[in-house]
Amino acid sequence: EKRLMSEVASAQLKEEERAEEGGGEEVQTEGLKAAALKIQDALVVTVIFDAKVYSDATERMLGLISKDETVMEESTSCGWEKSVVFERSGPSGGVGVYCHVTMEGEDDGVAFTPDDAYPLVISFHTKESHTARIGLQAAWSEYRSANTSKQRNSAMKKAQRLASAVKVPTGARTVQGPKWLRSAMENVPEEATSFHTQPDILGLEEVEVETELGTPV
């Protein structure tokens, strides 16, 4: 909520300046929509794979995303290859792969939300890393509410212990995002990419998908 308010305030300031030059209320509404699109992690869809197939399955799922014309990748980050850090928006690094996307949407009747797009994050975890991720979020909350440097250091050390205790799946540190995969596959014959339409070969029908709130999807 604080991040949304910050983005909205920034957008309002810029659009007020533009409105003075012409455009009025319509210009301000467009600015609020742009701000709403920046809060991509308001909705997080978590995909959980068995550690034995994690890297291959994650990259193949990202390959499916790269071929979906209704999905626009904004960025993809591999937490496995980075140490845990606390950013303004939350913990970063340590575990998991996070694909920030915007999907085609429809007008929800709210003036300041985008009429044709839904921002969200698709995160890929093992059961162990997903549990750790929840712990990282809790440690970040402790860090944000801390009153002393000792408390902040304690929260950071807790996060580092949680991340270091998770076994990194083989190949996880080199998982690539949809943009890279799309570029890499451009010159590969269609028959060589048929696996993208056969996710069941990795047992993907058993994948667990849930939202950040824990509601199965």
Side-chain angles (χ1 to χ4, degrees), residues 158-189:
K158 180 184 294 185
Q160 292 170 341
R161 285 196 301 270
L162 285 168
S164 63
V166 177
K167 182 178 180 180
V168 180
T170 302
R173 291 193 175 98
T174 59
V175 169
Q176 302 288 345
K179 287 181 180 177
W180 184 92
L181 291 170
R182 188 182 300 115
S183 175
M185 301 304 288
E186 281 180 351
N187 299 316
V188 177

PDB file of all heavy atoms in Angstrom, residues 158-189:
ATOM      1  N   LYS A 158      19.077 -13.378  10.057  1.00  0.00           N
ATOM      2  CA  LYS A 158      18.046 -14.414  10.002  1.00  0.00           C
ATOM      3  C   LYS A 158      17.724 -14.756   8.554  1.00  0.00           C
ATOM      4  O   LYS A 158      17.605 -15.932   8.182  1.00  0.00           O
ATOM      5  CB  LYS A 158      16.775 -13.924  10.702  1.00  0.00           C
ATOM      6  CG  LYS A 158      15.645 -14.943  10.702  1.00  0.00           C
ATOM      7  CD  LYS A 158      14.365 -14.377  11.316  1.00  0.00           C
ATOM      8  CE  LYS A 158      14.546 -14.089  12.775  1.00  0.00           C
ATOM      9  NZ  LYS A 158      13.276 -13.648  13.420  1.00  0.00           N
ATOM     10  N   ALA A 159      17.611 -13.729   7.713  1.00  0.00           N
ATOM     11  CA  ALA A 159      17.324 -13.948   6.297  1.00  0.00           C
ATOM     12  C   ALA A 159      18.456 -14.712   5.622  1.00  0.00           C
ATOM     13  O   ALA A 159      18.221 -15.621   4.815  1.00  0.00           O
ATOM     14  CB  ALA A 159      17.104 -12.605   5.604  1.00  0.00           C
ATOM     15  N   GLN A 160      19.674 -14.356   5.937  1.00  0.00           N
ATOM     16  CA  GLN A 160      20.826 -15.022   5.335  1.00  0.00           C
ATOM     17  C   GLN A 160      20.894 -16.492   5.738  1.00  0.00           C
ATOM     18  O   GLN A 160      21.237 -17.352   4.927  1.00  0.00           O
ATOM     19  CB  GLN A 160      22.111 -14.297   5.735  1.00  0.00           C
ATOM     20  CG  GLN A 160      22.232 -12.907   5.127  1.00  0.00           C
ATOM     21  CD  GLN A 160      23.370 -12.093   5.702  1.00  0.00           C
ATOM     22  OE1 GLN A 160      23.873 -12.388   6.795  1.00  0.00           O
ATOM     23  NE2 GLN A 160      23.795 -11.062   4.987  1.00  0.00           N
ATOM     24  N   ARG A 161      20.566 -16.792   7.004  1.00  0.00           N
ATOM     25  CA  ARG A 161      20.559 -18.183   7.474  1.00  0.00           C
ATOM     26  C   ARG A 161      19.487 -18.990   6.734  1.00  0.00           C
ATOM     27  O   ARG A 161      19.717 -20.134   6.332  1.00  0.00           O
ATOM     28  CB  ARG A 161      20.320 -18.240   8.979  1.00  0.00           C
ATOM     29  CG  ARG A 161      21.519 -17.835   9.823  1.00  0.00           C
ATOM     30  CD  ARG A 161      21.337 -18.289  11.266  1.00  0.00           C
ATOM     31  NE  ARG A 161      20.134 -17.715  11.864  1.00  0.00           N
ATOM     32  CZ  ARG A 161      20.101 -16.559  12.513  1.00  0.00           C
ATOM     33  NH1 ARG A 161      21.197 -15.841  12.636  1.00  0.00           N
ATOM     34  NH2 ARG A 161      18.969 -16.120  13.039  1.00  0.00           N
ATOM     35  N   LEU A 162      18.320 -18.381   6.554  1.00  0.00           N
ATOM     36  CA  LEU A 162      17.221 -19.071   5.874  1.00  0.00           C
ATOM     37  C   LEU A 162      17.606 -19.424   4.438  1.00  0.00           C
ATOM     38  O   LEU A 162      17.385 -20.541   3.972  1.00  0.00           O
ATOM     39  CB  LEU A 162      15.969 -18.183   5.866  1.00  0.00           C
ATOM     40  CG  LEU A 162      15.209 -18.061   7.180  1.00  0.00           C
ATOM     41  CD1 LEU A 162      14.178 -16.931   7.098  1.00  0.00           C
ATOM     42  CD2 LEU A 162      14.520 -19.380   7.509  1.00  0.00           C
ATOM     43  N   ALA A 163      18.187 -18.456   3.734  1.00  0.00           N
ATOM     44  CA  ALA A 163      18.552 -18.675   2.336  1.00  0.00           C
ATOM     45  C   ALA A 163      19.682 -19.689   2.195  1.00  0.00           C
ATOM     46  O   ALA A 163      19.652 -20.564   1.315  1.00  0.00           O
ATOM     47  CB  ALA A 163      18.953 -17.349   1.685  1.00  0.00           C
ATOM     48  N   SER A 164      20.684 -19.597   3.059  1.00  0.00           N
ATOM     49  CA  SER A 164      21.840 -20.495   2.963  1.00  0.00           C
ATOM     50  C   SER A 164      21.488 -21.935   3.316  1.00  0.00           C
ATOM     51  O   SER A 164      22.197 -22.868   2.927  1.00  0.00           O
ATOM     52  CB  SER A 164      22.965 -19.996   3.873  1.00  0.00           C
ATOM     53  OG  SER A 164      22.571 -20.011   5.233  1.00  0.00           O
ATOM     54  N   ALA A 165      20.394 -22.128   4.033  1.00  0.00           N
ATOM     55  CA  ALA A 165      19.990 -23.478   4.435  1.00  0.00           C
ATOM     56  C   ALA A 165      19.270 -24.224   3.319  1.00  0.00           C
ATOM     57  O   ALA A 165      19.062 -25.435   3.404  1.00  0.00           O
ATOM     58  CB  ALA A 165      19.092 -23.408   5.672  1.00  0.00           C
ATOM     59  N   VAL A 166      18.873 -23.521   2.268  1.00  0.00           N
ATOM     60  CA  VAL A 166      18.134 -24.141   1.171  1.00  0.00           C
ATOM     61  C   VAL A 166      19.098 -24.729   0.145  1.00  0.00           C
ATOM     62  O   VAL A 166      20.014 -24.052  -0.316  1.00  0.00           O
ATOM     63  CB  VAL A 166      17.221 -23.104   0.468  1.00  0.00           C
ATOM     64  CG1 VAL A 166      16.507 -23.751  -0.717  1.00  0.00           C
ATOM     65  CG2 VAL A 166      16.211 -22.537   1.454  1.00  0.00           C
ATOM     66  N   LYS A 167      18.872 -25.964  -0.212  1.00  0.00           N
ATOM     67  CA  LYS A 167      19.710 -26.620  -1.222  1.00  0.00           C
ATOM     68  C   LYS A 167      19.372 -26.062  -2.597  1.00  0.00           C
ATOM     69  O   LYS A 167      18.207 -26.043  -3.004  1.00  0.00           O
ATOM     70  CB  LYS A 167      19.487 -28.128  -1.203  1.00  0.00           C
ATOM     71  CG  LYS A 167      20.374 -28.873  -2.190  1.00  0.00           C
ATOM     72  CD  LYS A 167      20.154 -30.386  -2.119  1.00  0.00           C
ATOM     73  CE  LYS A 167      21.044 -31.114  -3.113  1.00  0.00           C
ATOM     74  NZ  LYS A 167      20.843 -32.581  -3.044  1.00  0.00           N
ATOM     75  N   VAL A 168      20.388 -25.607  -3.308  1.00  0.00           N
ATOM     76  CA  VAL A 168      20.183 -25.037  -4.646  1.00  0.00           C
ATOM     77  C   VAL A 168      20.036 -26.172  -5.659  1.00  0.00           C
ATOM     78  O   VAL A 168      20.942 -27.000  -5.800  1.00  0.00           O
ATOM     79  CB  VAL A 168      21.357 -24.129  -5.051  1.00  0.00           C
ATOM     80  CG1 VAL A 168      21.110 -23.548  -6.447  1.00  0.00           C
ATOM     81  CG2 VAL A 168      21.555 -23.024  -4.033  1.00  0.00           C
ATOM     82  N   PRO A 169      18.906 -26.248  -6.369  1.00  0.00           N
ATOM     83  CA  PRO A 169      18.725 -27.312  -7.370  1.00  0.00           C
ATOM     84  C   PRO A 169      19.795 -27.220  -8.464  1.00  0.00           C
ATOM     85  O   PRO A 169      20.244 -26.127  -8.819  1.00  0.00           O
ATOM     86  CB  PRO A 169      17.339 -27.012  -7.960  1.00  0.00           C
ATOM     87  CG  PRO A 169      16.640 -26.233  -6.888  1.00  0.00           C
ATOM     88  CD  PRO A 169      17.705 -25.397  -6.251  1.00  0.00           C
ATOM     89  N   THR A 170      20.187 -28.360  -8.990  1.00  0.00           N
ATOM     90  CA  THR A 170      21.187 -28.392 -10.052  1.00  0.00           C
ATOM     91  C   THR A 170      20.759 -27.530 -11.237  1.00  0.00           C
ATOM     92  O   THR A 170      19.642 -27.677 -11.748  1.00  0.00           O
ATOM     93  CB  THR A 170      21.401 -29.836 -10.538  1.00  0.00           C
ATOM     94  OG1 THR A 170      21.807 -30.649  -9.434  1.00  0.00           O
ATOM     95  CG2 THR A 170      22.457 -29.885 -11.632  1.00  0.00           C
ATOM     96  N   GLY A 171      21.615 -26.617 -11.650  1.00  0.00           N
ATOM     97  CA  GLY A 171      21.323 -25.763 -12.802  1.00  0.00           C
ATOM     98  C   GLY A 171      20.470 -24.546 -12.514  1.00  0.00           C
ATOM     99  O   GLY A 171      20.220 -23.738 -13.413  1.00  0.00           O
ATOM    100  N   ALA A 172      20.017 -24.369 -11.274  1.00  0.00           N
ATOM    101  CA  ALA A 172      19.099 -23.274 -10.964  1.00  0.00           C
ATOM    102  C   ALA A 172      19.724 -21.894 -11.163  1.00  0.00           C
ATOM    103  O   ALA A 172      19.040 -20.940 -11.521  1.00  0.00           O
ATOM    104  CB  ALA A 172      18.597 -23.410  -9.526  1.00  0.00           C
ATOM    105  N   ARG A 173      21.015 -21.792 -10.922  1.00  0.00           N
ATOM    106  CA  ARG A 173      21.672 -20.480 -11.018  1.00  0.00           C
ATOM    107  C   ARG A 173      21.789 -19.972 -12.458  1.00  0.00           C
ATOM    108  O   ARG A 173      22.104 -18.811 -12.672  1.00  0.00           O
ATOM    109  CB  ARG A 173      23.068 -20.537 -10.378  1.00  0.00           C
ATOM    110  CG  ARG A 173      23.047 -20.708  -8.866  1.00  0.00           C
ATOM    111  CD  ARG A 173      24.433 -20.446  -8.270  1.00  0.00           C
ATOM    112  NE  ARG A 173      24.403 -20.479  -6.816  1.00  0.00           N
ATOM    113  CZ  ARG A 173      24.748 -21.528  -6.083  1.00  0.00           C
ATOM    114  NH1 ARG A 173      25.134 -22.643  -6.678  1.00  0.00           N
ATOM    115  NH2 ARG A 173      24.705 -21.482  -4.763  1.00  0.00           N
ATOM    116  N   THR A 174      21.545 -20.838 -13.433  1.00  0.00           N
ATOM    117  CA  THR A 174      21.698 -20.419 -14.830  1.00  0.00           C
ATOM    118  C   THR A 174      20.370 -20.370 -15.580  1.00  0.00           C
ATOM    119  O   THR A 174      20.347 -20.262 -16.806  1.00  0.00           O
ATOM    120  CB  THR A 174      22.662 -21.367 -15.574  1.00  0.00           C
ATOM    121  OG1 THR A 174      22.140 -22.715 -15.519  1.00  0.00           O
ATOM    122  CG2 THR A 174      24.041 -21.337 -14.948  1.00  0.00           C
ATOM    123  N   VAL A 175      19.260 -20.449 -14.863  1.00  0.00           N
ATOM    124  CA  VAL A 175      17.945 -20.366 -15.508  1.00  0.00           C
ATOM    125  C   VAL A 175      17.794 -19.007 -16.188  1.00  0.00           C
ATOM    126  O   VAL A 175      18.099 -17.971 -15.591  1.00  0.00           O
ATOM    127  CB  VAL A 175      16.814 -20.575 -14.478  1.00  0.00           C
ATOM    128  CG1 VAL A 175      15.461 -20.231 -15.093  1.00  0.00           C
ATOM    129  CG2 VAL A 175      16.813 -22.020 -13.981  1.00  0.00           C
ATOM    130  N   GLN A 176      17.329 -19.005 -17.431  1.00  0.00           N
ATOM    131  CA  GLN A 176      17.188 -17.780 -18.211  1.00  0.00           C
ATOM    132  C   GLN A 176      15.730 -17.383 -18.356  1.00  0.00           C
ATOM    133  O   GLN A 176      14.833 -18.224 -18.323  1.00  0.00           O
ATOM    134  CB  GLN A 176      17.789 -17.968 -19.608  1.00  0.00           C
ATOM    135  CG  GLN A 176      19.251 -18.370 -19.610  1.00  0.00           C
ATOM    136  CD  GLN A 176      20.172 -17.231 -19.185  1.00  0.00           C
ATOM    137  OE1 GLN A 176      19.772 -16.079 -19.148  1.00  0.00           O
ATOM    138  NE2 GLN A 176      21.422 -17.559 -18.872  1.00  0.00           N
ATOM    139  N   GLY A 177      15.496 -16.081 -18.531  1.00  0.00           N
ATOM    140  CA  GLY A 177      14.148 -15.550 -18.659  1.00  0.00           C
ATOM    141  C   GLY A 177      13.584 -15.676 -20.060  1.00  0.00           C
ATOM    142  O   GLY A 177      14.299 -16.021 -21.008  1.00  0.00           O
ATOM    143  N   PRO A 178      12.282 -15.363 -20.237  1.00  0.00           N
ATOM    144  CA  PRO A 178      11.610 -15.502 -21.533  1.00  0.00           C
ATOM    145  C   PRO A 178      12.264 -14.742 -22.682  1.00  0.00           C
ATOM    146  O   PRO A 178      12.348 -15.247 -23.792  1.00  0.00           O
ATOM    147  CB  PRO A 178      10.209 -14.948 -21.244  1.00  0.00           C
ATOM    148  CG  PRO A 178      10.006 -15.224 -19.791  1.00  0.00           C
ATOM    149  CD  PRO A 178      11.358 -14.985 -19.171  1.00  0.00           C
ATOM    150  N   LYS A 179      12.742 -13.505 -22.436  1.00  0.00           N
ATOM    151  CA  LYS A 179      13.344 -12.725 -23.523  1.00  0.00           C
ATOM    152  C   LYS A 179      14.580 -13.430 -24.072  1.00  0.00           C
ATOM    153  O   LYS A 179      14.785 -13.511 -25.284  1.00  0.00           O
ATOM    154  CB  LYS A 179      13.712 -11.325 -23.027  1.00  0.00           C
ATOM    155  CG  LYS A 179      12.511 -10.423 -22.807  1.00  0.00           C
ATOM    156  CD  LYS A 179      12.946  -9.048 -22.346  1.00  0.00           C
ATOM    157  CE  LYS A 179      11.725  -8.156 -22.124  1.00  0.00           C
ATOM    158  NZ  LYS A 179      12.123  -6.816 -21.607  1.00  0.00           N
ATOM    159  N   TRP A 180      15.417 -13.947 -23.172  1.00  0.00           N
ATOM    160  CA  TRP A 180      16.622 -14.664 -23.608  1.00  0.00           C
ATOM    161  C   TRP A 180      16.225 -15.920 -24.367  1.00  0.00           C
ATOM    162  O   TRP A 180      16.795 -16.232 -25.409  1.00  0.00           O
ATOM    163  CB  TRP A 180      17.469 -15.027 -22.404  1.00  0.00           C
ATOM    164  CG  TRP A 180      18.770 -15.694 -22.772  1.00  0.00           C
ATOM    165  CD1 TRP A 180      19.974 -15.095 -22.984  1.00  0.00           C
ATOM    166  CD2 TRP A 180      18.988 -17.099 -22.975  1.00  0.00           C
ATOM    167  NE1 TRP A 180      20.935 -16.027 -23.316  1.00  0.00           N
ATOM    168  CE2 TRP A 180      20.350 -17.267 -23.314  1.00  0.00           C
ATOM    169  CE3 TRP A 180      18.163 -18.215 -22.908  1.00  0.00           C
ATOM    170  CZ2 TRP A 180      20.900 -18.513 -23.589  1.00  0.00           C
ATOM    171  CZ3 TRP A 180      18.712 -19.462 -23.186  1.00  0.00           C
ATOM    172  CH2 TRP A 180      20.069 -19.606 -23.520  1.00  0.00           C
ATOM    173  N   LEU A 181      15.240 -16.657 -23.847  1.00  0.00           N
ATOM    174  CA  LEU A 181      14.822 -17.896 -24.485  1.00  0.00           C
ATOM    175  C   LEU A 181      14.220 -17.625 -25.853  1.00  0.00           C
ATOM    176  O   LEU A 181      14.469 -18.352 -26.814  1.00  0.00           O
ATOM    177  CB  LEU A 181      13.792 -18.611 -23.597  1.00  0.00           C
ATOM    178  CG  LEU A 181      14.340 -19.189 -22.291  1.00  0.00           C
ATOM    179  CD1 LEU A 181      13.199 -19.647 -21.407  1.00  0.00           C
ATOM    180  CD2 LEU A 181      15.285 -20.342 -22.577  1.00  0.00           C
ATOM    181  N   ARG A 182      13.422 -16.550 -25.959  1.00  0.00           N
ATOM    182  CA  ARG A 182      12.818 -16.208 -27.245  1.00  0.00           C
ATOM    183  C   ARG A 182      13.897 -15.924 -28.276  1.00  0.00           C
ATOM    184  O   ARG A 182      13.829 -16.367 -29.414  1.00  0.00           O
ATOM    185  CB  ARG A 182      11.907 -14.997 -27.077  1.00  0.00           C
ATOM    186  CG  ARG A 182      11.092 -14.681 -28.323  1.00  0.00           C
ATOM    187  CD  ARG A 182      10.243 -13.436 -28.128  1.00  0.00           C
ATOM    188  NE  ARG A 182       9.317 -13.614 -27.036  1.00  0.00           N
ATOM    189  CZ  ARG A 182       9.361 -12.908 -25.909  1.00  0.00           C
ATOM    190  NH1 ARG A 182      10.300 -11.998 -25.745  1.00  0.00           N
ATOM    191  NH2 ARG A 182       8.487 -13.113 -24.965  1.00  0.00           N
ATOM    192  N   SER A 183      14.908 -15.187 -27.854  1.00  0.00           N
ATOM    193  CA  SER A 183      16.001 -14.853 -28.762  1.00  0.00           C
ATOM    194  C   SER A 183      16.787 -16.100 -29.162  1.00  0.00           C
ATOM    195  O   SER A 183      17.147 -16.286 -30.331  1.00  0.00           O
ATOM    196  CB  SER A 183      16.941 -13.847 -28.087  1.00  0.00           C
ATOM    197  OG  SER A 183      18.071 -13.592 -28.890  1.00  0.00           O
ATOM    198  N   ALA A 184      17.022 -16.981 -28.200  1.00  0.00           N
ATOM    199  CA  ALA A 184      17.811 -18.185 -28.457  1.00  0.00           C
ATOM    200  C   ALA A 184      17.089 -19.161 -29.378  1.00  0.00           C
ATOM    201  O   ALA A 184      17.712 -19.907 -30.130  1.00  0.00           O
ATOM    202  CB  ALA A 184      18.155 -18.866 -27.134  1.00  0.00           C
ATOM    203  N   MET A 185      15.727 -19.151 -29.321  1.00  0.00           N
ATOM    204  CA  MET A 185      14.969 -20.135 -30.083  1.00  0.00           C
ATOM    205  C   MET A 185      14.556 -19.639 -31.460  1.00  0.00           C
ATOM    206  O   MET A 185      13.977 -20.393 -32.241  1.00  0.00           O
ATOM    207  CB  MET A 185      13.710 -20.533 -29.291  1.00  0.00           C
ATOM    208  CG  MET A 185      13.992 -21.134 -27.911  1.00  0.00           C
ATOM    209  SD  MET A 185      15.067 -22.573 -27.967  1.00  0.00           S
ATOM    210  CE  MET A 185      13.928 -23.761 -28.672  1.00  0.00           C
ATOM    211  N   GLU A 186      14.844 -18.398 -31.798  1.00  0.00           N
ATOM    212  CA  GLU A 186      14.381 -17.826 -33.058  1.00  0.00           C
ATOM    213  C   GLU A 186      14.822 -18.623 -34.279  1.00  0.00           C
ATOM    214  O   GLU A 186      14.082 -18.777 -35.240  1.00  0.00           O
ATOM    215  CB  GLU A 186      14.860 -16.375 -33.190  1.00  0.00           C
ATOM    216  CG  GLU A 186      14.010 -15.409 -32.384  1.00  0.00           C
ATOM    217  CD  GLU A 186      14.491 -13.979 -32.536  1.00  0.00           C
ATOM    218  OE1 GLU A 186      15.569 -13.769 -33.121  1.00  0.00           O
ATOM    219  OE2 GLU A 186      13.791 -13.072 -32.057  1.00  0.00           O
ATOM    220  N   ASN A 187      16.046 -19.154 -34.236  1.00  0.00           N
ATOM    221  CA  ASN A 187      16.579 -19.851 -35.398  1.00  0.00           C
ATOM    222  C   ASN A 187      16.594 -21.374 -35.244  1.00  0.00           C
ATOM    223  O   ASN A 187      17.254 -22.066 -36.015  1.00  0.00           O
ATOM    224  CB  ASN A 187      18.000 -19.366 -35.686  1.00  0.00           C
ATOM    225  CG  ASN A 187      18.032 -17.884 -36.005  1.00  0.00           C
ATOM    226  OD1 ASN A 187      17.198 -17.392 -36.759  1.00  0.00           O
ATOM    227  ND2 ASN A 187      18.987 -17.170 -35.411  1.00  0.00           N
ATOM    228  N   VAL A 188      15.846 -21.859 -34.242  1.00  0.00           N
ATOM    229  CA  VAL A 188      15.792 -23.309 -34.034  1.00  0.00           C
ATOM    230  C   VAL A 188      14.552 -23.872 -34.736  1.00  0.00           C
ATOM    231  O   VAL A 188      13.465 -23.319 -34.624  1.00  0.00           O
ATOM    232  CB  VAL A 188      15.713 -23.627 -32.520  1.00  0.00           C
ATOM    233  CG1 VAL A 188      15.588 -25.130 -32.312  1.00  0.00           C
ATOM    234  CG2 VAL A 188      16.955 -23.089 -31.820  1.00  0.00           C
ATOM    235  N   PRO A 189      14.683 -24.971 -35.490  1.00  0.00           N
ATOM    236  CA  PRO A 189      13.536 -25.564 -36.190  1.00  0.00           C
ATOM    237  C   PRO A 189      12.404 -25.883 -35.229  1.00  0.00           C
ATOM    238  O   PRO A 189      12.620 -26.246 -34.073  1.00  0.00           O
ATOM    239  CB  PRO A 189      14.127 -26.854 -36.791  1.00  0.00           C
ATOM    240  CG  PRO A 189      15.589 -26.566 -36.911  1.00  0.00           C
ATOM    241  CD  PRO A 189      15.930 -25.707 -35.724  1.00  0.00           C
TER     242      PRO A 189
END
